[in-house]
Every structure is written in structure tokens, then in C-alpha cells.
Amino acid sequence: MRISDLLAIDELRLTLLAGDPSREFATVHITDLPEPGRYLSGGELVLSGLMWWHEPGDSARFVAALVDAGVAALGAGQAWLDHVPADLVAACEAAGLPLVEVPTEVSFRTLAELVVPRLAGDVRDALGRHRRLVAAIAEGADLRELFALTASELGVTGAVLSASGAVIVGAARDPVRLAKAYLTAPRLPARVGDHTIFAVGRGHRAAGWALACDGDLMGRADLGYELASCVGLERNRMEEGRRVERRLTEQLIVAALAESDAAELSARLRTCGIDAAEPYAVVNAAASREGATRGPDPATLGGQIVEELLGREVVAAAGADGAIAVVPLRERTTAELADRLREGAEVLAALPGTRLCVGVSGALTGAGAVKGGVEEAGHARRLAEARSGGVVTSDEIYTHALLLATVPGDVRRSFTARLLSPLLDYDRGHQSELVRTLGIFLDCAGSWNACAERLHVHVNTVRYRIRRIEELTGRNLATMADRVDFFLALRDTGPPR
């Protein structure tokens, strides 16, 4: 029962003096002990005649004892002092404990007699819903059926969404907007437009589910919590089966890296749901979190996110070098697979402090290709890390970018600074464009005229600038070696504009 429900009982004439009226309580306890904590179990509405109060300091001690015991709210009677002391109101406000004033003419016994039957009715309703839920689970109901049953029982409509905005069950308008609101909300539940959003479970939001309920449930959050708990129970049940699938994927990867014989690899590939003649790709993922000291490691979180981004149609086994998933292509290309991952990753980018890095191998067939796919996906993921996150395919790693990704960052920065510092300093001192000219000149394969056209200057201006670059750096842009050095150094400063 909520404090607001208690206040709505007209014959009690109660007044809220402090705290949140949406706070729930489960039972009523009457006491005038100055430190009643040992007799409380949490969740109570404590009714007190304030006979323990003798001086202002008593209020803070009494309220602290209630808060430590997990009390839901305090009802203060006026019969002893003829008023509720201001210091008690202040102590409750400071502690966030709801405080209700009980008028002198209302006895605690009357209050309890009105409230307890209502509390019992709430418990009976909850137990009835629980029995029906257990019966549905026992009969093999899936998530869709359980969601519909519980939502109907509670009178709540809405949808369950993944963090990337995919609708898992139910219906919602603009699910991507709701997913971004779930990712960025300072706390949950949160009111977002015509919806109230709750978290399903306690996992990291990037790999979590959101419950988006229609309407404003901030005043009846218990309904949203109950529905979210129901969904969370079914998700946990689904997760049990996925643990077995992850172990099978892990065993396949271990066997492939150990170069086991073809028959064993083919058998293990089939246990992962992929025929040896069927095309597939390998995905490697890791997700890092700024300042994280608890929670899943980067490989585990990365694997959880990839599973959600691919609609839980695959599993990802977390290892020392990222989480690895073997993904059947089923008439799609690796480019289409990468695009699907990118779309979801773009939504997750709304979550501050989390960086997702994903590598995707080329299309593979046959069990013997698993090892090469694992290596390709790993290289691609490390290139994504060098780019500060994102999705990288194997097509991108067979370039200079892969070589740069393997060079330590401080070495790359030192190389770039040594080669380009004279030009950057000159540009700052003379408001010139030597670095930009250099980038476009190389992008135009050393063509004077093409560079002049892109810069909208005369070709002689380009010739002058290139000579000045050579003078300042001691390099010769007529040679391939020096052009390559400048090209690589410019990769850390971005493409020419």
C-alpha cells in the first residue's frame, strides 16, 4: 500500500508533512520506544505518539534508527505533544523518510483497523497473480505469453525493448527513442513523454532490456516493477539455455585454434547450429567502461551486447581476447551483418562512458576456416579499438590501417609530431595552409593541377607551398618514400578537407 492511498482515506484526515507519498509500506507497527530498531524488519509504517521526545536532538536519533531499520514511513500522533515538532519534520526531510501527521481524534487502533484489511487484499491479489504466473510457466508459456498475461493482470500496456531499440515483446512507437532514453536516464524508472521506463534486471544497461509502459506510472511504480520482475524471470530462464550454447562455441574456438582434425571441427561446428557447407562469419567484440571497477569484464559485456544486437540469434563466448561469436550468414553478406551491428552500436553510443569495439571476419565456409576467421575478427576488433570504437570488417584490415593499429599510440604520436610539427608551427604563425595542402596533394596522387582545383588556387601557389613544405621538413615529395611517410603521419591528424 502507498502513503498516497493512506492519505486518500477521508475519515483519517491525515496530512503529509515530509517525504514522497508514492512510498509503499507492507505492515503497520506502533511504538514509542526511543530506539525501536531491533523490533523492526523493514517496510513498516511506524506509528508513534512521540512520548520519546524530550528535546530537539531526540528527533534525529529516532529517525536515524527508523532509517537504519528500513522503515517505509512514520506516522506521528498529536495526542501527547498536541503538535508535531518542527525538528522531527526537518529530520524526516533530511533522511527522505515520509512523515504523516495523525490528528488527535484518530486513534492508532482505528488507523490500523482500516489499513490492515487493505494490505491483506493487496497481498491476496499479488499471491493470486503469482499462482497464475507459475501455472503459465509450468505449462510452457513463452515470454510473449507471460508478458501478455502479466500486463493484463496489472492493467498495464507497453513493450520490452533491447538497449539498441529492438522490440522484444509488446508494441511501442519510436522504440529507438525510448531505448536512448533508457540508456541516458540518470535513474530509473523515468518518465519519457507518454511512457514510463523501467529496467529489467540489474545488468549493464548496454546489454539490458527496458520495459516501456504506456502512460505515467511514476505514482504506481509497483505495477511497473512487478511486470519488469516477471520479464526478468523469463529472461533468466532463457539465459540458462544460452550458457550451454556458449560453452559449445568456446569448445569450437579452442579446437580450431589447436588445429584439431577436420572431422572433429565439423562436428563441433554442427553443435553450434552451422553446417560445414553453410557460409558464416566470426565476430569478435569487447566493450570498455570508463572508470568501471565492478560489473562484467570487456569481453563478457561485449559478448552480451553482440547477442542483443543480433537479436539473440547467436551466442558469444567470452575469452581472453574478446568475445567470439560464430554467425551463420543465411543469405546475407558480411557487409549487411556489419551494417546491422553498426545500426545498433549507433544507438548504444548514447550511453556515456561505454565504448564498443567489434571486428567482423570475411565470409567463411568449412570447419577449417574457423581459425582464420577468429584471427581476422580479432585483428579487425583491435583496429576498431585504435579508432576509439566502432565496427570494422576484414576488408578494412588488409591496408596500412592494420599496421598502424599494431604500433603503440605513443610511437605513432611521436612519429607524427616529428614530421609535421614544423608545418603545424608555420601554419599557426602565418595563418597558412601547408598541412592541408600536403594532405590534398597526396590525396591527388601528387597531381599539381588536381590539387590546385580542389584548393581553388593557382597551380603556382601549390608549387610554392610544396617547396616550402620540403624546405621546412628536409623531405623530397618527389620520392615515394617521403610521400609514404607524410601519408602515414597525416592518418593521425584526420583526412584532408
Side-chain angles (χ1 to χ4, degrees), residues 294-308:
R294 295 185 298 174
D297 60 85
T300 300
L301 180 58
Q304 292 171 350
I305 292 174
V306 164
E307 290 179 357
E308 294 298 336

Side-chain angles (χ1 to χ4, degrees), residues 246 249-250 253-254 257 282-288 296-307 315-326 355-359 373-375 377-382 384-385:
R246 291 191 190 103
T249 298
E250 182 180 357
I253 302 305
V254 170
L257 294 179
V282 176
V283 174
N284 186 304
S288 58
D297 60 85
T300 300
L301 180 58
Q304 292 171 350
I305 292 174
V306 164
E307 290 179 357
V315 295
D321 186 34
I324 299 174
V326 182
R355 184 182 69 158
L356 176 65
C357 302
V358 181
V374 171
E375 293 173 348
H379 288 317
R381 194 213 76 226
R382 285 186 283 277
E385 290 173 344

Side-chain angles (χ1 to χ4, degrees), residues 348-368:
L348 295 179
L351 181 62
T354 298
R355 184 182 69 158
L356 176 65
C357 302
V358 181
V360 182
S361 76
L364 309 167
T365 53

Side-chain angles (χ1 to χ4, degrees), residues 282-288 302 306 321-323 338 341-342 345 354-361 375-407 412 492:
V282 176
V283 174
N284 186 304
S288 58
V306 164
D321 186 34
L341 290 166
R342 287 191 186 99
T354 298
R355 184 182 69 158
L356 176 65
C357 302
V358 181
V360 182
S361 76
E375 293 173 348
E376 275 191 0
H379 288 317
R381 194 213 76 226
R382 285 186 283 277
L383 179 54
E385 290 173 344
R387 294 177 176 176
S388 298
V391 179
V392 173
T393 66
S394 62
D395 292 338
E396 300 175 69
I397 67 174
Y398 296 111
T399 69
H400 66 278
L402 176 60
L403 297 178
L404 288 177
T406 62
V407 176
R412 293 201 314 271
D492 271 357

Side-chain angles (χ1 to χ4, degrees), residues 409-478:
D410 57 341
V411 175
R412 293 201 314 271
R413 288 188 292 272
S414 177
F415 174 77
T416 299
R418 186 178 183 86
L419 199 56
L420 298 183
S421 286
L423 307 182
L424 294 167
D425 292 343
Y426 187 89
D427 281 348
R428 280 192 292 267
H430 297 80
Q431 288 76 52
S432 56
E433 294 188 320
L434 295 187
V435 173
R436 180 168 179 256
T437 300
L438 173 61
I440 293 176
F441 179 75
L442 295 174
D443 202 41
C444 293
S447 169
W448 306 99
N449 291 325
C451 181
E453 288 179 8
R454 283 186 56 180
L455 288 169
H456 305 292
V457 298
H458 194 274
V459 68
N460 287 339
T461 301
V462 174
R463 293 181 186 276
Y464 167 78
R465 291 179 181 176
I466 296 301
R467 283 197 303 272
R468 196 78 186 98
I469 289 169
E470 293 174 333
E471 291 169 0
L472 289 169
T473 62
R475 299 297 186 111
N476 181 1
L477 280 165

Side-chain angles (χ1 to χ4, degrees), residues 27-117:
T27 186
V28 177
H29 183 89
I30 302 173
T31 183
D32 269 307
L33 293 173
E35 294 188 8
R38 71 179 69 181
Y39 303 106
L40 300 169
S41 57
E44 298 96 341
L45 166 64
V46 169
L47 301 178
S48 176
L50 309 185
M51 298 181 68
W52 47 264
W53 191 92
H54 301 288
E55 58 185 15
D58 295 340
S59 293
R61 286 190 292 273
F62 184 77
V63 170
L66 298 185
V67 172
D68 288 344
V71 165
L74 170 63
Q78 293 181 323
W80 180 253
L81 297 175
D82 198 34
H83 70 287
V84 177
D87 58 283
L88 179 58
V89 177
C92 288
E93 286 180 342
L97 182 69
L99 173 63
V100 175
E101 181 183 64
V102 182
T104 303
E105 59 271 21
V106 176
S107 71
F108 289 163
R109 178 179 177 180
T110 299
L111 192 155
E113 287 175 348
L114 284 171
V115 169
V116 169

